[in-house]
Amino acid sequence: MNQLTGKPVDRVDGRLKVTGGAKYSAEFDIKNLAYGVTVQSTISKGRISKIDTKEAEALPGVLAIITYKNSMSLHQLSSEGGGSPGSGKLGEKDLLPLQSDRIFYDGQHLAVVVAETFEQAEHAAHLIKIEYQQEKPIFEIEQNIAEAYKPEKGLGGSEIQLKRGDIEKGLADAEVKLDETYITPVYHHNAMEPHATIAEWNGEQLTIYDSTQSVIGSRNAIAQQLGILPDKVRLISYFIGGGFGSKGFTWPHSVLAPMAAKHVGRPVKIVLTRMQMFTCNGRRSRTIQKIELGSGKNGKLAAIRHANTVETSFVDEFIEPAGTATKLLYDSPNLDVSHSVVRLNKATPCPTRAPGEAPGTFAFEVALDELAYKLKIDPIELRLANYAEKNPHDGHAWSSKYLKECYQQGAAAIGWTKRNVAVGSMKEGHYLVGYGMATAIYPGNRGAAAAKVRLYPDGRAVAACCTQDIGTGTYTILSQIAADALGLPLNLIEVRLGDTQLPKGPNSGGSQTAASAGPAVQEAALDAKSKLIKKAIADKKSPLFGQQEQTISVENGRLFVQSEPTKGETYTDIIKRAGVPMMEGSADITVSTRETQSQEANPTSKGRGGGGEEGKADTNPFVKQDQDVDRKKYSFQSFGAQFVKVLVDPDLGTVRVDKVVSVIDIGKVLNLKTAENQVMGGVIFGIGMALMEHTAYDPNNGRVVTRDLADYLVPVNADMPEFNVQFIDKPDPYISPIGARGVGEIGITGITAAITNAVYHATGKRIRELPISPDKLL
Amino acid sequence: MHPFTLIEAQNNQAVIHALTSNLKAKMIAGGTNLLDLMKMYVEKPEQLVDINGLDLKKIESLPDGGVRIGALVTNTDLAYHPAIVQQYPVLSEAVLAGASAQLRNMATTGGNILQRTRCPYFFNDTFPCNKRNPGSGCSAIPGYNRMHAILGTSGKCIAAHPSDMAVALVALDAVVHIQGAKGERSVPIRDFHRLPGETPHIETVLQHDELITAVELPAIPFAAKSHYLKVRDRASYEFALTSAAVALDVNNGVIRSARVALGGVGTKPWRSAEAEKVLTGAKNSVETYKTAANVALQGAKEYKYNAFKIELAKRTIVRALTTVGGLS
């Protein structure tokens, strides 16, 4: 059988997307739809003293103006699963919208105007006058550093205060030491598709169209706030135009839509504006990372201290886990990773593509480059001298690791050994040339997932899983997996995602979608195929009657005896003869590769945790085989190597990333095209982080100043380097029967450090605070 | 957006009539700046007068060697016109350094000159801003002012003029042709934009009832050796940190004549007569360029986040002059 998995198959939804046929959350035509626009605070701290809505109410078309004075009451979430499949996580659990007059940050929603048209709602929103009792806000880490605290755990109960060995002794005894501080600014996700929610009540039943990375989580979080049972809510999110973490938690606008819809007795749509999205739906925290390294003259690390200070809000706690990858990267006997948090009058931060690893690898991999220059050791040699053959923190074996191969391939592709190692020694025209490298790292997460696969008499197959495609290609890779498992061509497979009526799938965070939903779809498909084969070999009317199951193969929907290929029949023949509308296979898997999990994601001995609806999964032999693997013995991580060539104009301070080589080990590559897309996308994010992106706040009042894509710069086509993305492409033997780890986030890790290191090689200037804008190189 | 009506004007007189009869009417051509500002409630016209039907779309070579550019000529048509590419490369380069291809296809010559600052405080009507709301105060002076001006600022406003094209036009001594209720007049572009002073909300000398009909470039033979250099935070689609429009007339190693104008640093497109004075008659050398650059930035005033612009602007001038002076 011609295997589709691994091939650079075109996106199955590509045509829909380029023709406008793919419906995003704001694009559903709902009868009698009204439009909601929110009014946001323009101060960072205080209270509302007066809301004057008179002028706005008098406008034609205005249906309602909802404020804390006339809003329905909401319910606090009782428990939070911290991003695990099936849980719901609010972005700001202590700030349910429109419940009080208190203001905690600039851009907090204070009112919703509902009108017949968007234009009417927007204009009315503008005419609402709010007076405040202002209080003095705290908006920079440095202003509140005295109140910094060290939380015990991070998101989902993860360990964020980490120690091994004796750090003080390790540092004291070291022959060579480095002690530097690195800073990354606030970044915003800036997904192309804005956050959008449509809510439609039908009696007690609620339908929500929401742009979310967690269809089930968002459904649960919205239901709980409204005080209704989750099964009263159907949430749909068929297509998502990027999320990058900002759509992982549920933000206030998502519950404002059903609140407003209830208020006016009509369906209501709320779409946030680009300006609003710089305030009320998360961001990447600023990080201040102090790194101390102690090593021998031979480069062997003796001690690593990585002390992080990050920010959160007064209404929830999210800790950018900038130091957590540090415990895994290199083999050092002594280590101390800590995270301190400072509360600020800003909206709550949240995960942003590779939360922790992206800013963390910037600081740590730059520090390592500094150490390499100090020791006069090649940066690759230094990394090899400290290569972790097993997880250095808990001693577990890696499920698979090919980082040495990544270094080798990357070095060869960029011409690493041909460079002149002397700083500032290489030139092309006006430009100084620099080469830099860094290690990429991201966890190989896999979580619980259920799926169903149905075969129909017309030859089609439908695979269903309530996960979502946030633009990464999930529809495509699941189609490939189902097609291979069933022995059907791609055009007969339909994948259904993004609807809470489907079997419970994972949220799209932690790069876990493919690694979690992939095996579930595969095992459901194998289950369906097995059921059909069993039916045929037990049926006297079948040409396959009396054969053993394992002797049957399927190609193009035709089952046949391997040793006697002329003996066979099609799926369609079997289903038609059985006289059933379809045949169904299912899978419900509770595997987790995470070190710490919240309750719901914990593996249980008998597989029901995933929540597949009809409970036939226990009997699925493929699931049993998968769940019987003892994964506790292994540490699941993806690694990679980033190599960069930059051109720096020494007079004007401009940096051009000329070439990027990324060699990535994500286990088995499911689709070369979409995987390459993801790594390139991550690298582009990293170029933005390294060279231009940053959210600026007013130094006097803490309000966001850069609030559009003209002021908040992301890289454009003209900034693109020559890309060379390579994969090791060897299956991870323990993560799943497919062997694939996720690829959505690893591309952004290491890249900012590689660029910063290359800039140093070109100029001799060591930049420790991002972005590397021209003014820093003058 | 504030509600508005839209009318189409078929000739210049109709535009002037519409503007005269409604003080809250505004012309719209490409709309690439105006519509943004309307969405942000910075501009709140009650009536838009669509002037795209006017006969102002021609680029004509004049008998004296100059070029007349109709006010409705798009940025794209201007940048690629052979007369502009050959006689005034600085203008072509400046236009192409601005915005994106899509925006340049819509944006017009008259509109480009009239475009308003990208100061984020001006663009956000929840902040005080003397330019948007006279007397309310300037948020940028004590605020985040990395992109702001260092030349021509006042205690009321430090917003940078955003245009690239206008910087080249200032270097080329362009003349703006205007038609209004009282007839026609011409204003050198150097005098067209005003310094903010006490009235930053009044940005140009154009009156409410007036229409730009054309921009005329005089014949400047040495402008064939001219150049626009723009330094910015990303490679494209971004406003200047600093930019320089320069032209040099060099004979036997001596500079006979020079043009130096700056972008990204001034509250208006900034011509430096002082730098040109240093260059004129001096030896064509990098040393001369450096002296000129220092003189050009002599009166610069730095603010908390933009002090780097002084040094960067000097280097921008030197690099641009080095390029046209044949010394690179």
Side-chain angles (χ1 to χ4, degrees):
Chain A
M1 181 70 201
N2 188 21
Q3 288 287 308
L4 288 162
T5 308
K7 295 273 161 52
V9 170
D10 287 347
R11 283 169 186 259
V12 295
D13 51 352
R15 189 181 174 84
L16 278 180
K17 284 189 172 175
V18 298
T19 56
K23 277 203 177 186
Y24 291 82
S25 294
E27 297 180 326
F28 287 84
D29 270 329
I30 310 286
K31 212 178 140 207
N32 206 27
L33 184 68
Y35 296 79
V37 168
T38 81
V39 181
Q40 297 185 312
S41 75
T42 59
I43 65 166
S44 297
K45 187 184 181 190
R47 284 178 188 277
I48 300 167
S49 52
K50 195 180 165 197
I51 302 187
D52 178 358
T53 58
K54 237 178 271 155
E55 211 183 332
E57 276 165 15
L59 282 184
V62 173
L63 299 169
I65 296 172
I66 311 166
T67 70
Y68 77 97
K69 289 186 173 171
N70 61 346
S71 161
M72 66 186 280
S73 292
L74 294 175
H75 303 258
Q76 197 106 18
L77 252 64
S78 54
S79 66
E80 288 181 289
S84 67
S87 70
K89 170 92 178 77
L90 287 183
E92 296 177 332
K93 69 177 165 54
D94 296 330
L95 182 60
L96 305 187
L98 311 188
Q99 303 297 294
S100 94
D101 60 351
R102 287 288 305 275
I103 294 163
F104 295 93
Y105 60 85
D106 173 35
Q108 182 179 325
H109 300 298
L110 301 183
V112 181
V113 180
V114 187
E116 294 286 350
T117 70
F118 168 73
E119 288 78 8
Q120 289 167 337
E122 195 234 1
H123 189 49
H126 198 80
L127 296 178
I128 290 176
K129 294 184 192 73
I130 301 179
E131 288 170 27
Y132 303 101
Q133 260 180 286
Q134 289 200 49
E135 294 166 40
K136 195 173 158 48
I138 298 162
F139 49 84
E140 289 298 344
I141 288 173
E142 289 81 352
Q143 292 170 337
N144 203 23
I145 195 75
E147 299 292 317
Y149 65 99
K150 284 190 178 176
E152 267 183 51
K153 303 273 168 144
L155 183 63
S158 55
E159 301 290 339
I160 54 169
Q161 316 294 0
L162 304 150
K163 280 189 166 68
R164 63 178 185 249
D166 184 341
I167 183 71
E168 300 299 345
K169 190 168 182 318
L171 283 171
D173 294 349
E175 291 172 322
V176 181
K177 280 173 219 173
L178 185 99
D179 182 354
E180 295 292 353
T181 297
Y182 305 86
I183 297 174
T184 59
V186 169
Y187 297 107
H188 273 86
H189 311 81
N190 279 311
M192 282 296 286
E193 184 208 12
H195 289 251
T197 309
I198 298 175
E200 181 179 26
W201 291 92
N202 190 347
E204 292 303 302
Q205 286 289 333
L206 174 63
T207 305
I208 298 262
Y209 302 86
D210 192 32
S211 183
T212 173
Q213 294 172 238
S214 179
V215 169
I216 294 169
S218 184
R219 186 266 314 260
N220 292 352
I222 291 168
Q224 284 204 41
Q225 288 179 86
L226 294 170
I228 59 177
L229 290 170
D231 62 13
K232 296 282 184 204
V233 183
R234 179 182 181 190
L235 193 140
I236 288 167
S237 197
Y238 294 139
F239 294 97
I240 295 112
F244 311 112
S246 72
K247 295 169 183 170
F249 296 169
T250 302
W251 299 101
H253 67 273
S254 292
V255 77
L256 285 174
M259 285 164 75
K262 188 134 233 174
H263 197 102
V264 299
R266 286 171 63 169
V268 169
K269 165 156 84 178
I270 294 179
V271 181
L272 297 185
T273 65
R274 184 62 62 185
M275 270 188 93
Q276 290 181 323
M277 285 187 289
F278 280 92
T279 58
C280 55
N281 39 244
R283 68 175 188 285
R284 195 196 293 279
S285 164
R286 182 166 173 251
T287 71
I288 302 173
Q289 306 180 50
K290 184 170 158 53
I291 293 183
E292 288 173 76
L293 300 177
S295 86
K297 283 184 185 147
N298 59 1
K300 184 76 196 79
L301 284 168
I304 296 171
R305 178 179 271 155
H306 188 170
N308 299 277
T309 308
V310 299
E311 51 191 42
T312 193
S313 72
F314 284 98
V315 291
D316 209 333
E317 182 185 86
F318 174 78
I319 301 131
E320 178 82 23
T324 48
T326 303
K327 73 169 183 183
L328 300 169
L329 274 165
Y330 302 103
D331 190 18
S332 164
N334 305 302
L335 174 127
D336 177 11
V337 171
S338 63
H339 292 83
S340 296
V341 190
V342 173
R343 291 198 188 276
L344 301 177
N345 289 110
K346 287 178 175 176
T348 317
C350 73
T352 307
R353 204 171 197 172
E357 289 84 3
T361 52
F362 159 68
F364 195 79
E365 291 288 309
V366 171
L368 216 57
D369 198 63
E370 298 206 50
L371 184 64
Y373 277 96
K374 213 168 184 170
L375 294 165
K376 296 194 171 61
I377 295 177
D378 186 280
I380 298 176
E381 293 307 315
L382 180 63
R383 285 164 175 84
L384 290 173
N386 295 289
Y387 196 83
E389 296 289 356
K390 53 185 198 238
N391 181 328
H393 206 67
D394 60 15
H396 287 175
W398 303 113
S399 58
S400 71
K401 178 176 179 179
Y402 298 97
L403 180 56
K404 279 180 188 162
E405 289 81 349
C406 295
Y407 293 143
Q408 275 162 12
Q409 278 180 230
I414 200 122
W416 183 254
T417 54
K418 288 183 208 132
R419 81 196 193 287
N420 184 338
V421 297
V423 164
S425 62
M426 299 182 73
K427 280 186 185 148
E428 280 177 22
H430 277 306
Y431 300 106
L432 291 170
V433 178
Y435 287 84
M437 60 84 56
T439 304
I441 181 169
Y442 197 80
N445 290 323
R446 181 183 172 194
K452 277 183 185 168
V453 170
R454 288 178 175 174
L455 283 155
Y456 289 90
D458 62 1
R460 287 179 314 118
V462 175
C465 176
C466 185
T467 186
Q468 51 284 310
D469 187 336
I470 58 173
T472 49
T474 307
Y475 279 109
T476 307
I477 57 117
L478 293 180
S479 298
Q480 291 171 268
I481 289 168
D484 279 349
L486 292 169
L488 282 176
L490 206 58
N491 64 355
L492 290 178
I493 306 286
E494 183 192 338
V495 170
R496 288 194 190 145
L497 309 172
D499 181 342
T500 48
Q501 293 191 338
L502 305 174
K504 197 166 169 180
N507 67 352
S508 293
S511 297
Q512 70 174 359
T513 313
S516 311
V521 165
Q522 184 189 50
E523 287 160 41
L526 292 173
D527 186 43
K529 180 168 86 176
S530 172
K531 281 178 181 159
L532 273 150
I533 294 174
K534 287 196 173 88
K535 213 169 197 62
I537 59 184
D539 184 351
K540 283 181 189 157
K541 289 179 191 152
S542 168
L544 301 170
F545 176 69
Q547 299 288 335
Q548 295 296 309
E549 184 177 352
Q550 57 274 23
T551 65
I552 310 288
S553 282
V554 192
E555 269 180 34
N556 278 322
R558 181 176 173 275
L559 301 84
F560 58 90
V561 182
Q562 283 151 13
S563 58
E564 211 176 335
T566 52
K567 200 180 253 186
E569 63 174 339
T570 64
Y571 284 138
T572 306
D573 296 333
I574 302 168
I575 298 168
K576 280 185 180 158
R577 196 168 53 236
V580 291
M582 51 86 191
M583 292 287 286
E584 179 178 283
S586 63
D588 188 349
I589 316 174
T590 55
V591 166
S592 173
T593 60
R594 285 183 169 83
E595 285 174 29
T596 50
Q597 306 96 22
S598 54
Q599 230 173 358
E600 210 155 353
N602 254 328
T604 52
S605 52
K606 288 269 160 67
R608 284 296 306 136
E613 279 144 40
E614 283 165 26
K616 287 173 188 162
D618 294 1
T619 59
N620 182 333
F622 307 99
V623 170
K624 190 170 174 341
Q625 202 182 343
D626 189 355
Q627 297 199 146
D628 283 349
V629 176
D630 180 7
R631 293 185 168 82
K632 289 203 187 83
K633 293 192 293 192
Y634 301 101
S635 189
F636 296 85
Q637 291 288 324
S638 287
F639 289 92
Q642 306 272 23
F643 287 83
V644 168
K645 179 191 171 197
V646 298
L647 302 175
V648 181
D649 188 319
D651 299 327
L652 306 177
T654 49
V655 178
R656 170 160 199 89
V657 179
D658 188 51
K659 190 171 181 180
V660 175
V661 177
S662 307
V663 187
I664 306 289
D665 168 27
I666 48 162
K668 168 84 179 158
V669 172
L670 295 173
N671 179 323
L672 192 57
K673 201 173 199 176
T674 57
E676 207 174 70
N677 284 173
Q678 285 305 306
V679 173
M680 278 173 67
V683 167
I684 294 165
F685 247 74
I687 292 172
M689 261 185 96
L691 299 183
M692 62 194 81
E693 291 186 45
H694 70 283
T695 302
Y697 292 82
D698 186 274
N700 302 299
N701 53 38
R703 298 191 57 206
V704 188
V705 177
T706 49
R707 288 183 69 171
D708 59 34
L709 293 174
D711 291 328
Y712 184 96
L713 302 191
V714 296
V716 295
N717 280 337
D719 295 298
M720 290 305 101
E722 178 190 332
F723 290 97
N724 180 342
V725 177
Q726 301 179 19
F727 295 100
I728 299 295
D729 200 13
K730 288 182 182 153
D732 181 329
Y734 302 109
I735 190 161
S736 73
I738 296 173
R741 296 190 296 261
V743 64
E745 293 168 88
I746 190 167
I748 192 180
T749 72
I751 183 68
T752 50
I755 293 169
T756 309
N757 296 342
V759 168
Y760 176 76
H761 178 232
T763 64
K765 289 187 172 131
R766 183 59 78 179
I767 307 300
R768 300 188 184 93
E769 180 167 6
L770 297 179
I772 310 173
S773 45
D775 43 295
K776 295 203 176 105
L777 293 175
L778 289 183
Chain B
M1 226 184 261
H2 198 278
F4 62 91
T5 57
L6 175 69
I7 58 166
E8 285 178 51
Q10 298 308 328
N11 56 56
N12 298 4
Q13 284 306 330
V15 177
I16 293 160
H17 177 76
L19 294 172
T20 312
S21 42
N22 186 346
L23 282 176
K24 291 195 168 171
K26 241 181 144 60
M27 291 173 277
I28 183 163
T32 56
N33 187 216
L34 180 60
L35 290 176
D36 275 3
L37 293 167
M38 286 170 68
K39 287 178 192 167
M40 308 313 287
Y41 281 84
V42 176
E43 295 276 13
K44 289 173 270 192
E46 286 178 357
Q47 183 172 67
L48 285 183
V49 183
D50 181 352
I51 62 168
N52 286 297
L54 268 50
D55 182 22
L56 301 172
K57 293 175 182 162
K58 285 195 284 289
I59 299 177
E60 301 160 273
S61 288
L62 303 173
D64 67 356
V67 172
R68 186 184 163 100
I69 305 155
L72 288 175
V73 169
T74 67
N75 285 183
T76 301
D77 287 345
L78 177 63
Y80 294 112
H81 193 277
I84 303 300
V85 173
Q86 284 151 29
Q87 291 174 245
Y88 311 98
V90 65
L91 179 57
S92 177
E93 289 171 18
V95 171
L96 294 177
S100 64
Q102 293 88 339
L103 287 166
R104 292 193 295 268
N105 287 341
M106 292 298 291
T108 62
T109 305
N112 191 311
I113 298 173
L114 292 172
Q115 73 177 294
R116 309 196 69 188
T117 183
R118 303 301 301 203
C119 171
Y121 296 105
F122 171 73
F123 254 76
N124 184 337
D125 81 333
T126 65
F127 280 101
C129 170
N130 287 325
K131 192 185 270 298
R132 178 173 22 79
N133 186 10
S136 62
C138 174
S139 298
I141 292 173
Y144 183 72
N145 44 37
R146 181 169 177 272
M147 297 299 289
H148 289 71
I150 50 175
L151 289 165
T153 57
S154 76
K156 294 277 193 272
C157 182
I158 61 169
H161 195 273
S163 173
D164 294 299
M165 188 186 90
V167 178
L169 292 178
V170 165
L172 294 170
D173 277 332
V175 175
V176 183
H177 293 284
I178 295 167
Q179 190 178 340
K182 294 188 195 111
E184 294 182 22
R185 64 184 181 125
S186 300
V187 179
I189 188 149
R190 239 199 286 196
D191 302 327
F192 183 80
H193 296 99
R194 293 165 44 116
L195 290 173
E198 295 297 304
T199 53
H201 59 290
I202 306 172
E203 294 171 355
T204 70
V205 299
L206 194 74
Q207 301 297 304
H208 174 74
D209 61 2
E210 288 183 318
L211 159 78
I212 298 174
T213 53
V215 174
E216 199 172 310
L217 303 175
I220 310 171
F222 75 90
K225 266 200 167 180
S226 61
H227 177 46
Y228 187 76
L229 175 63
K230 182 176 182 180
V231 182
R232 41 186 158 176
D233 284 322
R234 66 181 168 196
S236 174
Y237 194 40
E238 166 59 347
F239 296 91
L241 292 170
T242 59
S243 71
V246 301
L248 280 182
D249 181 6
V250 181
N251 188 31
N252 283 331
V254 175
I255 300 166
R256 285 201 294 211
S257 194
R259 298 292 170 90
V260 177
L262 300 174
V265 291
T267 51
K268 59 182 262 183
W270 200 262
R271 176 89 174 258
S272 179
E274 299 82 359
E276 291 173 9
K277 208 171 145 191
V278 168
L279 292 164
T280 307
K283 187 177 163 229
N284 183 40
S285 71
V286 174
E287 278 317 302
T288 304
Y289 304 160
K290 283 183 178 167
T291 310
N294 281 331
V295 168
L297 273 296
Q298 228 155 36
K301 182 171 162 52
E302 63 179 57
Y303 297 86
K304 190 174 174 190
Y305 297 90
N306 71 357
F308 71 94
K309 281 193 173 185
I310 297 177
E311 178 61 22
L312 187 59
K314 289 179 188 173
R315 295 185 187 195
T316 308
I317 295 169
V318 173
R319 172 68 65 79
L321 287 170
T322 309
T323 305
V324 290
L327 297 178
S328 59

